[in-house]
Amino acid sequence: MAAQRPAPKKKGLNLVRLSLFWAILIVGTLAAIAIFSPQDNLKEVSISSVIQRANKGEIKKIEIQGNDVKVTPKNADKPTERSVKEGGSSLYEQGLKQDKTEVAVVPPSTTGDTFWNLAVILIPVLIIVGFFMFMMRQAQGQNNQAMGFGKSKAKLYGLDKEKVLFDDIAGNESAKQDLEEVVDFLKHPKKYEALGAKIPKGVLLVGNPGTGKTMLARAVAGEANVPFFSISGSEFVEMFVGVGASRVRDLFAKAKKNAPAIIFIDEIDAVGRKRGSGMGGGHDEREQTLNQILVEMDGFETGTNVIVLAATNRADVLDPALLRPGRFDRRTQITLPEKKDREAILKVHFKKKPTDDTVKIERLAAKTAGSSGADLANIANEAAIIAARRNKKKISNDELTEAFEKVAIGPERKSKIMSDADKEMTAYHEAGHAIVGHVLPDSDPVHKVTIIPRGGTGGVTWFLPPEDKSYTSIVEFKDILARAMGGRIAEELKYGKDRVTTGAGSDLRKATEIARDMVIEQGMSDGLRDQVFHEDNGGMVFDKITHERPYSDATAEKIDENVKTILEEAAGRARTVLKANTKSLDALAAALIEEETLEEEAVAEILKDTVLPKEAALY
């Protein structure tokens, strides 16, 4: 049975207890004062009337205590009146007859005075003692915190009531299969040991942000029903050298005591980067922490039945010693979901969201190629928010479409006022993108064109692939570059070379990035065909300063020339297409000025007469 996690100590609990103690003390003091103080409800009368009535025989008894006089009438059993006599004289001197009324003299009470004298002495002493006790407890807490500086901050999961299971996660079937083997080993270890099988000591979850690495780890915690220690890589590293290594030792010690157990390290690249890349040498705190992780995962002590899960989206920067068999034996790739997986994920997220008949999950899944699970969850949530803002009871296709576009290309900025000249320029710019992309045979089809500002752009021409793609060919890259150049070329043809605007800045930046990737990473240029000049951009700044490029200056010049050639070819193809379809360019721009937003069907109708010039064809 796994050890239960101790209840966390609340900060300030000692202060609450101390405050409660002093509150009780003060209330008790006030109550004691009320008890010991003389309290009565006697009627106040003058001493002269008391003497007159006593002389008439109407008073049974008079009690004198100092200058206070208590009077018991003839028909009463206890005093009902009180008075005050003159100090320094007796009642007989003031006219009281001795044989008429019983007179008793009571010694003055010193109980109240004694209590107040004790209170004056004890209360300050108690306050001082309480203050010193509070300071000592605070100092003890600080000492405990200092002593626990090297303790692990890992949180224990897996025994909670609300668990995440594999059935709650759609898609990533291969990844779930790998992790189900880990769970099955923890539940039935003898089945594997009988065949001499050894479960992987570590499983590295690698994938893009938002693909569900942490969610899968939580599912392992829910399925395995064993102690699951979760910690982030950044929680190991502190300013002082050795603290991270101490926390690693403490974490693995806890896991071994509760074995079989699972340790999950999120964002392990925070401590697992290649050693020697920092400026601190071997004594760098991060490297000390990494060394301790290496020893704990595969050192002299073996057979501890502790499995380590780790997640990262930068496996390329991890230290080779961390990735070797015996440490992270298995690397599980968490990929972006395919169409069927996206549909399953969307159904999970819309399970508790009411939708009407216009919502088609399969159509949304087809349009969201390249979206991660987090993106799809965000689309579902945004659709619900938009519907609630419109006071609707169910989500319709209108809200779903708006949410998809908001997540994919940014929210509309309808509040921005555009002049007629800017509106016309934006219309021609977006029409240029649309026509080039529509005409070229290997470009994705136009999904939507708008001149309403979205996000940081003045307008958007949106292309969506008809199906998921695993690879991109040279001709597809070249069509993407040509349609990216279409906006600048359309401005040039309409207003002249000297009248082009900054609206094409992001298009040109993206085109240049694609062209350089074709040349350096993919070997797709004519001058440097099948040659790759990979540059590692994941290292430290110190690495980039001290390490040379993997190619010569002469090769760098060839790279620049090939990038320039590719971009000039793309611009030439875009110009050829737009010159051959000037009527369609004017018609689409006019429609955008009037409607502001055109859907796929409307764009296709306007561009039905466009042609592909032979000069723009690649084959």
Side-chain angles (χ1 to χ4, degrees):
M1 181 68 181
Q4 296 292 331
R5 177 171 50 178
K9 295 182 179 179
K10 296 182 179 179
K11 296 180 179 179
L13 184 59
N14 293 335
L15 182 61
V16 172
R17 290 177 177 174
L18 187 62
S19 301
L20 184 61
F21 167 75
W22 284 112
I24 294 173
L25 180 63
I26 293 171
V27 172
T29 302
L30 295 176
I33 293 173
I35 292 171
F36 288 104
S37 296
Q39 298 289 336
D40 53 36
N41 296 317
L42 303 180
K43 181 181 179 182
E44 294 282 348
V45 296
S46 65
I47 192 63
S48 59
S49 65
V50 172
I51 294 173
Q52 290 176 5
R53 290 163 58 201
N55 291 337
K56 292 178 181 180
E58 297 176 357
I59 294 177
K60 181 192 295 187
K61 184 179 179 180
I62 296 177
E63 296 178 6
I64 302 174
Q65 187 178 29
N67 292 327
D68 292 332
V69 178
K70 293 184 178 180
V71 179
T72 304
K74 202 74 174 178
N75 57 352
D77 295 329
K78 60 181 181 179
T80 59
E81 299 175 355
R82 66 178 299 174
S83 184
V84 179
K85 73 180 184 65
E86 294 181 6
S89 63
S90 67
L91 293 180
Y92 298 108
E93 293 175 349
Q94 297 180 24
L96 179 66
K97 296 177 180 181
Q98 295 185 359
D99 57 345
K100 295 292 184 181
T101 305
E102 179 186 353
V103 178
V105 179
V106 181
S109 176
T110 60
T111 302
D113 293 339
T114 303
F115 177 79
W116 280 112
N117 291 335
L118 289 174
V120 169
I121 296 172
L122 290 178
I123 290 178
V125 172
L126 291 174
I127 292 175
I128 293 172
V129 171
F131 175 75
F132 276 105
M133 288 179 62
F134 174 72
M135 295 298 294
M136 290 176 65
R137 293 174 75 90
Q138 289 292 102
Q140 184 179 5
Q142 293 293 335
N143 185 49
N144 291 337
Q145 184 177 1
M147 294 299 291
F149 195 60
K151 298 296 183 181
S152 168
K153 298 181 180 180
K155 299 177 179 64
L156 180 61
Y157 296 100
L159 305 176
D160 306 322
K161 292 183 179 179
E162 295 184 3
K163 297 179 180 180
V164 177
L165 303 177
F166 286 131
D167 291 339
D168 299 326
I169 302 175
N172 283 318
E173 296 301 326
S174 60
K176 287 195 288 187
Q177 182 178 354
D178 287 346
L179 296 176
E180 283 172 352
E181 291 179 5
V182 174
V183 172
D184 191 52
F185 176 83
L186 292 171
K187 289 182 176 179
H188 312 101
K190 294 183 179 180
K191 179 175 65 174
Y192 293 87
E193 291 172 356
L195 295 173
K198 295 182 179 180
I199 200 68
K201 291 185 178 180
V203 179
L204 184 65
L205 307 178
V206 182
N208 294 332
T211 49
K213 300 184 293 295
T214 305
M215 184 66 70
L216 282 169
R218 289 178 61 190
V220 172
E223 295 278 359
N225 199 28
V226 298
F228 184 92
F229 296 90
S230 175
I231 191 170
S232 171
S234 61
E235 294 183 62
F236 287 116
V237 182
E238 290 286 353
M239 181 177 67
F240 304 106
V241 175
V243 173
S246 174
R247 290 179 177 175
V248 171
R249 287 191 294 271
D250 183 66
L251 172 61
F252 277 85
K254 288 180 181 177
K256 290 171 185 176
K257 288 181 181 178
N258 293 278
I262 297 173
I263 294 175
F264 175 59
I265 305 176
D266 201 4
E267 304 296 345
I268 193 173
D269 51 279
V271 291
R273 286 176 176 266
K274 296 175 184 176
R275 287 169 290 180
S277 61
M279 300 184 69
H283 297 287
D284 179 70
E285 160 66 357
R286 182 183 57 79
E287 295 191 4
Q288 293 283 0
T289 306
L290 173 58
N291 291 336
Q292 190 63 43
I293 292 176
L294 296 176
V295 172
E296 293 289 349
M297 289 190 68
D298 190 24
F300 279 100
E301 186 178 1
T302 58
T304 56
N305 217 12
V306 174
I307 297 174
V308 180
L309 296 180
T312 182
N313 52 14
R314 293 299 310 275
D316 56 309
V317 302
L318 295 180
D319 193 272
L322 196 63
L323 301 176
R324 74 160 176 82
R327 291 197 175 107
F328 283 107
D329 307 84
R330 184 174 296 181
R331 181 184 297 194
T332 300
Q333 197 73 29
I334 314 296
T335 59
L336 291 171
E338 298 178 356
K339 180 182 177 181
K340 60 182 181 62
D341 294 331
R342 292 195 300 273
E343 184 174 346
I345 293 171
L346 286 169
K347 287 180 179 179
V348 169
H349 290 301
F350 277 99
K351 188 176 182 180
K352 297 182 179 180
K353 296 179 175 64
T355 58
D356 62 18
D357 296 336
T358 62
V359 173
K360 304 296 181 183
I361 298 296
E362 60 278 4
R363 292 181 60 187
L364 179 60
K367 293 194 296 184
T368 51
S371 298
S372 65
D375 294 331
L376 299 175
N378 195 19
I379 291 171
N381 187 60
E382 286 290 343
I385 291 173
I386 295 170
R389 192 170 64 236
R390 295 173 179 174
N391 298 318
K392 289 188 173 183
K393 300 298 183 181
K394 291 185 177 182
I395 300 171
S396 68
N397 187 62
D398 293 338
E399 286 78 42
L400 194 59
T401 301
E402 185 174 339
F404 170 48
E405 294 175 355
K406 183 177 181 180
V407 172
I409 56 179
E412 291 185 352
R413 293 184 294 145
K414 292 184 178 180
S415 59
K416 182 177 180 181
I417 306 300
M418 297 177 65
S419 65
D420 292 340
D422 288 345
K423 196 172 183 180
E424 183 186 67
M425 186 278 299
T426 305
Y428 272 94
H429 181 100
E430 300 304 332
H433 287 308
I435 290 175
V436 175
H438 178 79
V439 169
L440 296 180
D442 293 292
S443 172
D444 297 328
V446 179
H447 174 68
K448 190 173 190 175
V449 185
T450 178
I451 59 173
I452 297 175
R454 279 185 174 270
T457 64
V460 176
T461 302
W462 197 0
F463 298 89
L464 283 180
E467 57 186 9
D468 293 354
K469 293 182 180 180
S470 301
Y471 307 102
T472 305
S473 65
I474 294 177
V475 292
E476 289 172 334
F477 269 133
K478 289 189 174 184
D479 282 6
I480 291 171
L481 291 173
R483 78 188 188 207
M485 292 291 187
R488 168 58 65 87
I489 302 302
E491 292 181 30
E492 178 185 315
L493 294 177
K494 176 64 178 177
Y495 303 105
K497 290 185 177 181
D498 296 332
R499 294 286 183 178
V500 295
T501 67
T502 58
S506 60
D507 299 329
L508 300 179
R509 191 181 308 113
K510 184 65 178 177
T512 304
E513 290 175 1
I514 294 173
R516 290 195 66 84
D517 183 72
M518 290 175 64
V519 176
I520 295 176
E521 301 290 344
Q522 310 301 335
M524 290 182 171
S525 64
D526 293 334
L528 297 171
R529 180 63 63 95
D530 301 332
Q531 298 181 59
V532 174
F533 309 96
H534 177 70
E535 294 181 359
D536 187 3
N537 296 321
M540 304 289 286
V541 175
F542 187 64
D543 290 338
K544 297 178 181 180
I545 296 174
T546 57
H547 289 70
E548 295 182 356
R549 293 177 305 187
Y551 47 85
S552 65
D553 291 341
T555 302
E557 291 182 6
K558 290 183 179 180
I559 291 173
D560 292 340
E561 290 174 0
N562 279 267
V563 171
K564 179 182 177 182
T565 300
I566 291 174
L567 293 176
E568 288 179 345
E569 178 188 323
R573 295 180 69 213
R575 185 177 290 105
T576 302
V577 170
L578 292 175
K579 283 185 176 179
N581 298 280
T582 54
K583 291 183 178 180
S584 298
L585 177 64
D586 293 334
L588 183 57
L592 285 171
I593 293 172
E594 182 178 353
E595 301 292 338
E596 292 188 337
T597 299
L598 296 174
E599 299 293 340
E600 181 177 357
E601 296 79 6
V603 174
E605 178 64 25
I606 295 173
L607 302 183
K608 63 182 179 180
D609 295 328
T610 53
V611 295
L612 172 63
K614 293 182 180 180
E615 298 82 357
L618 293 174
Y619 47 83

